[in-house]
Amino acid sequence: MLDLLLRASPDALVLSVSIEGDEAGSYPFVQRFVAGADERQRASLSQVATGDPAVIVRQDLRAIAREAPGSHVVLALPGNVDPAPFLAELSRTPLGRTALSDHYDLAPLAVGVDPGRLLSDLGCVHRAVHVFGHHPHAEPLTVAEAAARQVEAAQVMVLRDGRREDDGRREGPRALLAHLNPSAEVLLDAEERDSARLTTLTRPGPGWTAAGSADRLDVVAPVVRRRGVDHGVVSVLWRSRRPLHPERLAEGLPQIMPAVVRSRGHLWVATRPDAVISWRSAGRHLELREAGRWLGDGDTEGWRAASPQRRTLASWYWDDYYGERRNEIVFTGAEMDQFGLRAVLDAALLDDRELALGADRWSCLPDPLLGADTQDLDG
């Protein structure tokens, strides 16, 4: 990816970052390497610091902007960074400071993908990696979840050139990437020989602005689905305005998940009617987690804290009794039984009799999924 970006902008300054966590739980070591700057800049920035990685990188970018205003900077992040929350934290303006957007226009987030490793990474749930995102300390994730988040955060994905005999094998991964992140542009490395197409990697545009970096982290943000079937890969969107019975949902998981490569969204679970339950799966690992509260009448603080997109959607879906509560999940996989999947999920919803009991009685329903505390589920 760095070679492609420098081919498009040979005079760019490159700020490469390496982050090493400390098992004792102290702040990580952040190493920065600078290329393309003068010797003084390289000496001042190419060093090790200890602290919050986003704070350190933000300070580096401000220092570059002071020394070389108007320069094009390529920020090369390591693989142990969760891009979306890290960039949201990076673009956050601390009190008393100017916004980073005053100095820089954000170009697309570009991710290079090895087609030979994509499927194995998305299926790897037996090993954990530690990634840095919102907070200065690393969060443990499965390899599959970390890989899926890298892909979903990108605006441009480039599949690496393979050997000639492997060229045909890239079409399957290319189709999968297009379903995992329908709004991104998926390119083959060979296609990037065209200088006109290279400029999309280095020039800011309306789709790459920093304004929505934090908004995309809202758990109730809609998940975009790609329509159609490509090389056997399909994405299925399931929605409902009724709460889920957690026991029936748990019983249906063996029928829902076997062909699913990735799924994500949010749930309205009867036993926790006020909580937004996030749903994420990658490979055979499913994570259900309480991730906030549904917006309600009179919740002024909650409405102010919500993203503009969330407030718009809440108004659009608003029900006088249930508010914005709803289920929405997108499943991506190969050769999935779309109708069977939807039928199992529909059967897990509360029926009319159960719905009429009201939220006070729902709390008495058996809940093997969330129980007393939310938990991760390995399939």
Side-chain angles (χ1 to χ4, degrees):
M1 283 307 309
L2 201 54
D3 288 343
L4 290 174
L5 292 169
L6 290 177
R7 194 186 308 159
S9 182
D11 298 328
L13 183 151
V14 179
L15 175 61
S16 297
V17 181
S18 173
I19 307 174
E20 296 297 332
D22 186 341
E23 293 183 0
S26 58
Y27 281 107
F29 299 99
V30 184
Q31 173 74 64
R32 293 99 75 215
F33 306 91
V34 179
D38 59 43
E39 185 175 349
R40 184 168 60 84
Q41 276 186 308
R42 288 196 298 271
S44 64
L45 294 174
S46 297
Q47 53 186 297
V48 177
T50 302
D52 186 334
V55 172
I56 293 170
V57 173
R58 188 189 300 124
Q59 291 171 342
D60 288 345
L61 290 172
R62 286 204 171 100
I64 293 170
R66 287 194 301 268
E67 295 288 332
S71 60
H72 177 207
V73 179
V74 175
L75 177 60
L77 296 174
N80 62 341
V81 163
D82 189 0
F86 184 84
L87 292 177
E89 180 62 24
L90 185 66
S91 61
R92 185 179 62 84
T93 305
L95 290 175
R97 301 291 185 92
T98 58
L100 202 60
S101 57
D102 289 351
H103 306 289
Y104 296 99
D105 294 320
L106 189 65
L109 172 62
V111 172
V113 180
D114 181 346
R117 289 183 53 186
L118 177 64
L119 290 178
S120 62
D121 282 354
L122 288 173
C124 182
V125 298
H126 61 279
R127 183 164 55 89
V129 294
H130 289 77
V131 299
F132 296 87
H134 261 311
H135 306 292
H137 303 294
E139 175 188 8
L141 299 174
T142 65
V143 172
E145 179 66 27
R149 293 190 187 190
Q150 291 269 349
V151 166
E152 290 161 356
Q155 282 105 18
V156 176
M157 292 178 282
V158 180
L159 277 168
R160 189 190 68 178
D161 265 335
R163 298 186 299 274
R164 184 176 299 275
E165 60 269 22
D166 292 335
D167 286 348
R169 301 180 186 177
R170 288 180 296 170
E171 293 307 318
R174 189 179 193 179
L176 178 58
L177 291 174
H179 277 266
L180 292 175
N181 189 347
S183 61
E185 188 173 9
V186 183
L187 303 171
L188 300 180
D189 187 17
E191 295 173 341
E192 286 301 303
R193 311 296 184 199
D194 182 356
S195 59
R197 301 194 74 173
L198 280 171
T199 59
T200 64
L201 295 174
T202 60
R203 301 289 174 83
W208 323 131
T209 60
S213 56
D215 294 349
R216 292 198 295 168
L217 301 177
D218 196 323
V219 69
V220 189
V223 181
V224 181
R225 170 182 59 126
R226 183 180 178 91
R227 297 179 182 275
V229 181
D230 306 301
H231 295 270
V233 180
V234 64
S235 292
V236 179
L237 171 62
W238 177 74
R239 285 189 179 126
S240 174
R241 294 306 307 269
R242 287 192 177 213
L244 282 157
H245 190 299
E247 186 175 48
R248 291 204 293 270
L249 177 60
E251 292 170 350
L253 288 178
Q255 300 168 264
I256 295 170
M257 301 306 295
V260 176
V261 175
R262 173 64 163 167
S263 62
R264 55 185 178 136
H266 55 269
L267 301 180
W268 174 19
V269 179
T271 50
R272 301 194 179 207
D274 295 326
V276 180
I277 305 299
S278 71
W279 168 298
R280 284 179 182 268
S281 81
R284 295 183 63 82
H285 179 88
L286 170 62
E287 176 190 273
L288 299 177
R289 178 175 297 177
E290 189 169 320
R293 315 296 284 179
W294 296 107
L295 298 176
D297 280 328
D299 183 11
T300 304
E301 184 178 345
W303 282 88
R304 287 176 177 171
S307 66
Q309 183 183 48
R310 168 82 175 274
R311 293 195 295 266
T312 301
L313 286 170
S315 300
W316 179 265
Y317 285 105
W318 195 261
D319 179 89
D320 289 340
Y321 188 74
Y322 295 120
E324 66 163 342
R325 293 172 177 82
R326 65 190 185 278
N327 301 292
E328 184 173 280
I329 312 174
V330 168
F331 300 87
T332 298
E335 309 299 337
M336 289 194 301
D337 179 2
Q338 302 181 44
F339 300 104
L341 184 150
R342 288 195 176 98
V344 173
L345 288 167
D346 288 343
L349 298 170
L350 297 190
D351 58 30
D352 291 344
R353 180 187 60 82
E354 293 165 331
L355 195 65
L357 294 175
D360 291 340
R361 297 286 299 277
W362 298 345
S363 61
C364 301
L365 295 172
D367 190 345
L369 291 178
L370 302 174
D373 297 300
T374 54
Q375 56 186 313
D376 295 348
L377 303 166
D378 289 304

